[in-house]
Amino acid sequence: MRTGMSMESIFSTAGTAFTILIAVIAVIIGAGLWKSYSGWSRNNGQPQLSVKAAVVSKRSRVRSQQPYEEGSHQQTLTDYFATFEVESGDRMEFSVTGRDFGLLAEGDTGKLTFRGSRYQGFERDNNRVIQFG
């Protein structure tokens, strides 16, 4: 009478666990790809709008990534965001490039162009006084 598991059953259990792990990883990757595609598709289905707006705030987020290989340098990434207020009083925050971030100043007024949740550009007026109506 043996009390331990046979080698065959250990490999069978390990193989099943490995298969389940691979399936879970595939589902997570698939869900992420689907979410990205559906957001991209939804934005492309929206009309491009240009509205009068004012830059009300700017912010940045600095992230660091650990190196994949030993001896490599840590990488630092910066994400830039700008918040605009439109004539109705609604505010919208968009991710912008570093170049656009540098060109925008709080209080700037002008024409904001966007498609869905995607920032397309901002044409500044000559004056910087916020006046709606």
Side-chain angles (χ1 to χ4, degrees), residues 37-88:
Y37 172 75
S38 62
W40 175 83
S41 179
R42 184 175 45 255
N43 276 333
N44 284 345
Q46 297 291 319
Q48 181 170 314
L49 300 174
S50 293
V51 296
K52 189 173 178 184
V55 180
V56 291
S57 70
K58 296 175 12 175
R59 70 180 179 91
S60 60
R61 176 180 62 197
V62 178
R63 302 180 284 138
S64 61
Q65 287 184 332
Q66 296 299 325
Y68 293 112
E69 297 176 11
E70 200 169 310
S72 298
H73 297 290
Q74 180 173 335
Q75 186 177 14
T76 302
L77 305 169
T78 305
D79 300 318
Y80 300 99
F81 303 91
T83 302
F84 298 89
E85 184 174 327
V86 296
E87 291 180 286
S88 66

Side-chain angles (χ1 to χ4, degrees), residues 39-40 42-43 46 93-95 114-120:
W40 175 83
R42 184 175 45 255
N43 276 333
Q46 297 291 319
E93 182 178 65
F94 295 99
S95 176
F114 63 97
R115 179 185 302 263
S117 62
R118 195 178 307 141
Y119 173 83
Q120 301 285 307

